[in-house]
């Protein structure tokens, strides 16, 4: 095997150091090494978006990022948004609007929506749909997800 | 779908990176954003013994003005930085528009302009934009640096003129003529997917620049269509374009359909660009 | 039918309320428990080397280098597994059906690209995949059967040597005088329709984790299945283990849509390996494996004709269905399930007295087809409703009007359809009417005229359908299978802490059944929704249950849950009568309390449980002997099942230059009986339609002539994103409640059943000026380009 490389990654505020193979995907590092299984793996080729996390504040596909590339980075996963007893506002909007069914795409949707809400004004439903278009959901038909993100936008904008 | 083993080094400087590439007998590859590369690794479609990560190199990122009124874009500049750059939006609105079509936010946050050009996907937006905007692509090798005109850069699908130990460091865009109009048209079945066909145009009076993607084995400046536009207007340009491109068949569209689409999109892009030019 | 055995409506109405889901907090916070999340001490990882030939003899397999790789624990071939697991096949008593054995790992011959040939068990998935690359397999290519119309010919090479032919099933239906109907027709329409092959694409791919308990010599399989009970029962035979020593658990499962309703090779191999190695073994499908191996959907060619009278009445219908079912007959549903449903449901909700149909299920060198959302009916409706529009055009009748004239009227129920199915009363006509009103049909027709005058291609689509849901024992889902899909079990128990647990044999893949079934049980029992813990998808919970498929969850779960909760409530009332010193008929329950009507004499259910179980002396021995505990297990058999009806309407516009189809408006009006949770019911319709849009416009599994799967990534197998799915209106018509317990009808599949036909009709309507009729879907821009070019050049 190729030499392992030592990395130090801050995940949801906690610093983790580990020796990893260069080929280890960040998704697997988060799930298998750190046991943060909220991040899901759906395609491993960057299409479905289920594995989306935030790295240094930006949404990224954790299946298209090597763990070694996250050395020194701040990573945020779905677990950072709020726990089951105390959901964050975006999670709550998803619940109120029934924006999830099986829940498998949901962590990626939430992390994508988090980044979208920071970066775009999301004036129209078309803007919201465009922003969500890199995250595939097979259950909801997206309508309730759009509703939830719209509600989160309104909350953001004090509408 | 897990990558095969490989070795990995982080380059601290371009010289460092180039030296690592040069030492590998042409087998090592650069990794930057990895948005095209890592899927290929996961599918085990490429077998690379060593990756040289250039993400940590200082000074390779960012958009800055050049003395002549153009822009210099560092190779590590992420797609989202281009999309959000006021300089890009003001000086190259066509590039600003194109960036919105590059995959999705999470990909744009990570993917780099140097990576996109080096990967040279004929259906991707940035290679076509480099050709449209007469970009010069700066590359550094072990012994020399050179600047390559975008039109000379792309050789074949996923193939450029870069030597195995050469790295793109920046992209320089000369200024667009004042008052030039632009049009950008892309067709894909699903939002964010690679283009089945795409056409971008810049028009200044009777002079048009037309670049196409997804309809040829490289991004292409449609010189024939440009000449036809000057002499015969939009319809002539469309006809000329359809005869000068050589699209191929794939699951997302036949060559015939792509040729048809290229014409449709060319017409739309030229019309919008002409209107904007007059405005 | 008798009126439904209704719940006392005086109590707080939980059924019908928009209750937020109980499963959401964990799923939203990353605390769900999916199979891929399971980690066990000493767990090993499995990966499969799969066939890259569609049809070939295996000459030699060399696994030495793989075994020698550091971190590799075991390597198994088909021969090894054959010694560890008994052979199995999907049997059926259906006439003219030929079962095939399904080797968990190929033995001697591979029959489709993606078929598992060698399994590697290693310390990590990464290492297991490294080992796969070191395995050398020598193949001798055989003639590849790709076209089912070729494969069914008598002289075609046989895919299975022991069978008579490649036709795994054949069936004919005839009712009435079909030839005469066509002779007397004012107009006929007929075509060769092709409904291409798709694949479910659950975002969670399939996965299995097997734990072997050395002490108890038992296996626990955690897997992404919709049918834990069926899997358990079959594994018990395959491994000669009694039921209690095989436990199948489907924890949080990330979507099913039918793709997870089969027993899969990987589950068997993982069990065999775990048992042999005495270690936990994990297999998680990657997306490429998923696209090549999870049961594919549809894939039928249908030659069909319709005859109508001058007034639009359907006189007769003919259909010849050829189903491409892939290499083996899938377990447990068999190769009959999909193609046979096409002909069974072809007459749909229409009055058709003369019907002749033939169906053949043909084996080819492709992935097995199985159940996928709608099973057969998306094709039935596509063909039937396309034919109706084509025929209506010939006599100059509006699509809406021809449906109104042919849909079964309220006074005609129960109606025995030409294929033998019986429709109980459902709002066939009302759905059509309300859909037209809801979308503004007449106005849209005017707008369409205006748009056409501008050269725009605007079309309106209509599709009506009926489906049988919650099918009971009288009509087994796939006739003749040696499994019972007609009943379901629920145990409701209040334990000594006073907590309520409702355990079911069905499983959830996102339908929200922890919430909806808690609503039903809580309402019947008289407790709060949040007081009911619902257990699903665990074979140790109830003695028999099959799972969730065929739009049965609400009918079966709701029915069995109601029965069990009622029985427990009777016990509560009994005990309360004694403790509160009142007549049983004066006892009321609600919100977790028990009280004497019109008094302030009350206690909590929790106190009542304590009084019964723990405070000896408070409940007399005789009473305790009689009621035993606050627990009941009930089995519900809806016997016939019930009809769910709907009409879909949509407005599309096709870009007259690029040929891209945009869906502008979409409405679903459905009669799914009493709605348990309107929010969840809407979500089911949205999701079903979204999948139907994929089927209609973009999704297609494509093979080349050598049988290679060209759509082996989500780049090439295109499913819709948020941009391609429009916002839609969903209206629930609660006409007359059916005879099922609670008045529930099934609703999970409907969206996918109606949408392909509705959209294909709208596209055909838009392209009517060119004389184009859509007969093959998905109607990709490429297909439309070819049709339009041909129309313009002719």
């Amino acid at each position: 095997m190729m030499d392992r490389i030592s990395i130090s990654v801050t995940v949801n505020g906690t610093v983790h150091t580990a020796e990893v193979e260069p080929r280890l995907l960040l998704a697997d590092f988060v799930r298998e090494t750190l046991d943060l299984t909220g991040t899901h793996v759906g395609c491993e080729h960057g299409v479905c978006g289920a594995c989306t996390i935030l790295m240094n504040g930006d949404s990224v596909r954790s299946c298209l990022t090597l763990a070694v590339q996250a050395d020194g980075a701040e990573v945020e996963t779905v677990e950072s948004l709020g726990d089951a007893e105390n959901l964050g506002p975006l999670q709550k909007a998803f619940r109120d609007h029934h924006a999830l069914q099986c829940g498998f795409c949901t962590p990626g949707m939430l992390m994508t929506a988090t980044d979208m809400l920071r970066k775009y004004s999301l004036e129209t439903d078309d803007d919201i749909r465009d922003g969500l278009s890199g995250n595939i959901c097979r259950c909801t038909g997206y309508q309730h997800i759009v509703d939830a993100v719209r509600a989160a936008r309104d909350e953001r904008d004090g509408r | 779908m897990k990558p095969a083993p490989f070795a990995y080094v982080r380059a601290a400087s371009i010289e460092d990176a180039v030296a690592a590439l040069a030492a590998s007998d042409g087998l090592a590859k650069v990794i930057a954003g990895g948005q095209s590369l890592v899927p290929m690794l996961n599918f085990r479609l490429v077998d690379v013994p060593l990756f040289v990560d250039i993400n940590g190199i200082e000074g390779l990122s960012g958009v800055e003005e050049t003395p002549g009124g153009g822009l210099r874009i560092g190779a590590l500049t992420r797609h989202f930085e281009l999309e959000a750059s006021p300089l890009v939006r003001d000086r190259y609105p066509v590039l600003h528009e194109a960036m919105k079509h590059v995959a999705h936010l999470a990909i744009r946050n990570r993917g780099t302009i140097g990576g996109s050009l080096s990967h040279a996907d004929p259906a991707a937006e940035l290679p076509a934009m480099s050709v449209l905007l007469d970009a010069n692509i700066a590359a550094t090798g072990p012994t020399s640096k050179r600047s390559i005109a975008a039109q000379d850069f792309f050789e074949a699908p996923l193939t450029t003129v870069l030597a195995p130990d050469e790295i793109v460091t920046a992209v320089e865009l000369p200024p667009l003529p004042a008052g030039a109009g632009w049009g950008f048209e892309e067709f894909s079945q699903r939002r964010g997917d690679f283009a089945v066909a795409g056409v971008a145009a810049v028009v200044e009076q009777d002079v048009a620049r037309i670049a196409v993607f997804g309809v040829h084995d490289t991004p292409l400046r449609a010189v024939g269509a440009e000449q036809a536009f000057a002499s015969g207007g939009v319809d002539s340009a469309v006809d000329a374009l359809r005869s000068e491109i050589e699209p191929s068949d794939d699951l997302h569209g036949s060559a015939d359909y792509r040729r048809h689409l290229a014409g449709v999109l060319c017409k739309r892009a030229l019309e919008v660009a002409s209107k904007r030019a007059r405005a | 039918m008798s009126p439904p055995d209704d719940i006392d409506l005086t109590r707080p109405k939980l059924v019908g309320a928009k209750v937020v889901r109980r499963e959401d907090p964990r799923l939203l916070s990353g605390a769900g428990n999916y199979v891929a999340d399971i980690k066990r001490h000493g767990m090993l990882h499995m990966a499969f080397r799969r066939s890259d030939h569609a049809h070939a003899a295996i000459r030699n397999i060399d696994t030495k280098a793989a075994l020698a790789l550091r971190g590799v624990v075991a390597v198994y071939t088909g021969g090894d597994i054959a010694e560890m697991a008994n052979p199995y096949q999907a049997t059926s008593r259906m006439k003219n059906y030929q079962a095939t054995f399904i080797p968990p790992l190929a033995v001697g011959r591979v029959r489709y690209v993606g078929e598992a040939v060698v399994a590697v068990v290693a310390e990590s998935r990464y290492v297991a995949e490294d080992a796969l690359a070191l395995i050398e397999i020598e193949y001798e290519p055989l003639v590849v059967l790709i076209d089912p119309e070729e494969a069914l010919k008598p002289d075609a090479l046989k895919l299975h040597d022991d069978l008579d032919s490649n036709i795994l099933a054949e069936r004919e239906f005839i009712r009435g005088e079909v030839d005469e109907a066509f002779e007397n027709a004012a107009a006929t329409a007929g075509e060769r329709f092709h409904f291409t092959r798709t694949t479910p694409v659950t975002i969670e791919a399939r996965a299995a984790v097997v734990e072997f308990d050395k002490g108890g010599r038992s296996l626990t399989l955690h897997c992404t299945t919709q049918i834990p009970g069926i899997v358990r029962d079959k594994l018990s035979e395959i491994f000669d283990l009694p039921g209690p020593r095989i436990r199948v658990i489907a924890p949080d499962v990330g979507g099913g849509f039918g793709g997870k309703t089969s027993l899969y090779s990987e589950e068997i191999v993982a069990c065999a390996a775990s048992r042999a190695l005495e270690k936990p073994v994990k297999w998680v499908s990657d997306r490429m494996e998923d696209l090549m191996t999870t049961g594919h959907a549809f894939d039928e060619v249908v030659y069909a004709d319709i005859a109508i009278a001058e007034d639009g009445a359907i006189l007769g219908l003919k259909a010849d269905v050829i189903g491409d079912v892939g290499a083996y007959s899938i377990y447990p549903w068999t190769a009959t399930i999909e193609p046979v449903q096409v002909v069974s449901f072809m007459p749909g909700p229409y009055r058709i007295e003369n019907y002749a149909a033939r169906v053949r299920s043909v084996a080819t060198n492709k992935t097995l087809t199985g159940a996928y959302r709608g099973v057969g009916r998306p094709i039935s409706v596509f063909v039937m409703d396309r034919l109706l529009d084509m025929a209506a055009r010939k006599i100059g009748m509006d699509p809406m009007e021809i449906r109104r004239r042919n849909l079964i009227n309220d006074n005609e129920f129960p109606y025995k359809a030409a294929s033998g199915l019986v429709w109980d009363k459902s709002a066939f006509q009302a759905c059509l009417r309300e859909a037209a009103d809801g979308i503004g049909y007449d106005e849209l027709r005017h707008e369409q005229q205006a748009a056409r005058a501008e050269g725009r291609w605007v079309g309106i689509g209509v599709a009506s359908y009926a489906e049988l849901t919650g099918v009971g024992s009288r009509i087994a889902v796939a006739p003749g299978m040696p499994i019972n899909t007609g009943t379901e079990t629920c145990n409701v128990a209040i334990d000594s802490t006073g907590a309520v647990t409702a355990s079911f044999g069905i499983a959830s893949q996102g339908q929200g059944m922890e919430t909806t079934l808690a609503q039903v049980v809580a309402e019947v029992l008289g407790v709060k929704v949040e007081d009911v813990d619902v257990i699903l998808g665990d074979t140790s919970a109830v003695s028999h249950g099959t799972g969730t498929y065929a739009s049965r969850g609400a009918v079966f779960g709701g029915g069995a849950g109601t029965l069990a909760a009622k029985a427990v409530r009777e016990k509560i009332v009994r005990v309360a009568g004694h403790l509160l010193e009142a007549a049983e008929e004066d006892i009321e329950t609600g919100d977790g309390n028990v009280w004497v009507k019109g008094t302030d004499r009350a206690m909590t259910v929790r106190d009542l449980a304590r009084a019964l179980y723990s405070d000896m002396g408070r409940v007399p021995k005789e009473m305790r002997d009689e009621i035993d505990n606050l627990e009941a297990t009930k089995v519900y058999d809806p016997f016939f099942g019930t009809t769910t009806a709907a009409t879909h309407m949509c407005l599309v516009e096709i870009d007259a230059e690029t040929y891209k189809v945009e869906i502008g408006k979409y409405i679903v009006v459905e009669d799914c009986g009493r709605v348990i949770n309107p929010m969840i019911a809407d979500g089911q319709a949205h999701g079903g339609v979204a999948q139907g849009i994929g089927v209609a416009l973009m999704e297609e599994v494509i093979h080349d002539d050598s049988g290679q799967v060209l759509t082996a990534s989500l780049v090439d197998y295109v499913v819709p994103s948020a941009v391609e799915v429009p916002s839609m209106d969903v209206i629930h018509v609660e006409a007359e409640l059916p005879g099922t317990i609670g008045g529930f009808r099934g609703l999970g599949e409907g969206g996918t059943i109606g949408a392909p036909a509705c959209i294909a009709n709208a596209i055909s309507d838009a392209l009517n000026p060119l004389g184009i009729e859509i007969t093959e879907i998905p109607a990709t821009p490429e297909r439309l380009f070819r049709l339009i070019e041909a129309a313009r050049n002719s």
Side-chain angles (χ1 to χ4, degrees), chain B residues 226-251:
Chain B
E226 291 177 0
Q227 286 165 356
F229 179 77
S231 54
V234 172
D235 291 343
S236 303
V238 167
D239 290 343
L241 178 66
R242 282 183 173 144
S243 60
E244 77 184 293
I245 55 175
E246 288 174 26
S248 47
D249 290 317
D250 75 12
L251 294 178

Side-chain angles (χ1 to χ4, degrees), chain C residues 451-521:
Chain C
R452 273 194 185 153
E454 295 169 20
R456 287 161 58 205
W457 293 346
V458 171
I460 301 162
V462 185
S464 294
Y465 65 85
E467 52 169 332
L468 269 188
T469 66
V471 175
S473 63
R474 179 70 181 76
I475 315 165
V477 174
M481 294 168 322
I483 54 171
N484 163 28
T485 61
T487 63
E488 210 36 83
T489 311
C490 174
N491 171 278
V492 170
I494 301 177
D495 66 21
S496 51
T497 70
V500 185
T501 306
S503 307
F504 295 85
I506 57 178
S508 181
Q509 304 83 44
Q511 300 91 335
M513 288 192 292
E514 280 174 55
T515 305
T516 50
L517 295 178
Q519 284 176 261
V520 172
V521 168

Side-chain angles (χ1 to χ4, degrees), chain C residues 98-119:
Chain C
Q98 305 190 82
T100 66
F101 284 99
I102 311 171
L105 295 176
V107 179
R109 190 161 161 185
V110 289
R111 293 182 175 86
Y112 66 94
V113 170
E115 184 169 4
V117 183
V118 183

Side-chain angles (χ1 to χ4, degrees), chain B residues 259-271:
Chain B
R259 181 172 280 115
H260 165 84
L261 269 181
V264 170
L265 301 180
C266 181
K267 179 166 79 83
R268 291 180 181 181
L270 285 172
E271 282 172 355

Side-chain angles (χ1 to χ4, degrees), chain B residues 1-2 44 254 257 260, chain C residues 129-130 657-658 697 719 782:
Chain B
M1 283 180 55
K2 306 294 182 191
R44 298 198 180 207
S254 63
Y257 178 50
H260 165 84
Chain C
E129 290 193 20
D130 295 343
E657 293 180 325
T658 65
L697 297 179
V719 300
E782 171 71 34

Side-chain angles (χ1 to χ4, degrees), chain C residues 388-433:
Chain C
L388 262 186
D389 274 19
M390 289 159 69
R393 251 192 270 291
K394 291 195 174 173
I395 58 165
M397 188 175 281
D398 183 84
M400 160 87 189
E401 181 57 20
I402 198 167
R403 284 172 178 76
R404 193 188 63 76
R405 292 184 183 211
N406 287 288
L407 281 173
I408 294 150
N409 291 311
D410 286 355
N411 59 7
E412 295 175 84
F413 293 105
Y415 180 85
K416 188 170 186 186
S419 58
L421 298 171
V422 177
W423 303 127
D424 60 323
K425 189 168 178 182
S426 180
F428 288 19
Q429 292 281 4
C431 285
L432 179 71
R433 241 181 356 255

Side-chain angles (χ1 to χ4, degrees), chain A residues 4 7 9 11 18-36 39-46 51 53 55 60-71 75, chain B residues 1-6 8 31 33-44 51 110, chain C residues 124-126 129 286-287:
Chain A
R4 285 171 176 258
I7 60 171
V9 189
V11 181
E19 303 261 314
V20 301
E21 273 191 87
R23 64 168 165 168
L24 183 70
L25 300 174
L26 182 55
D28 289 331
F29 174 71
V30 167
R31 287 178 50 80
E32 307 296 333
T33 311
L34 304 184
D35 288 334
L36 290 169
T39 299
H40 296 156
V41 173
C43 76
E44 293 175 295
H45 55 283
C51 70
I53 61 171
M55 191 159 98
V60 300
R61 305 282 207 233
S62 62
C63 75
L64 299 190
T65 309
L66 302 174
V68 288
Q69 295 185 299
D71 185 31
V75 165
Chain B
M1 283 180 55
K2 306 294 182 191
F6 53 79
Y8 171 90
I31 183 166
Q35 301 302 283
S36 300
L37 179 61
V38 180
M40 294 165 84
L41 292 179
N42 291 355
F43 278 115
R44 298 198 180 207
F51 281 102
R110 191 80 192 134
Chain C
S124 80
R125 174 70 181 224
Y126 286 76
E129 290 193 20
D286 62 37
R287 187 54 65 185

Side-chain angles (χ1 to χ4, degrees), chain B residues 19-33:
Chain B
L21 292 179
S24 77
D25 289 336
L27 296 175
K29 296 265 185 225
V30 169
I31 183 166

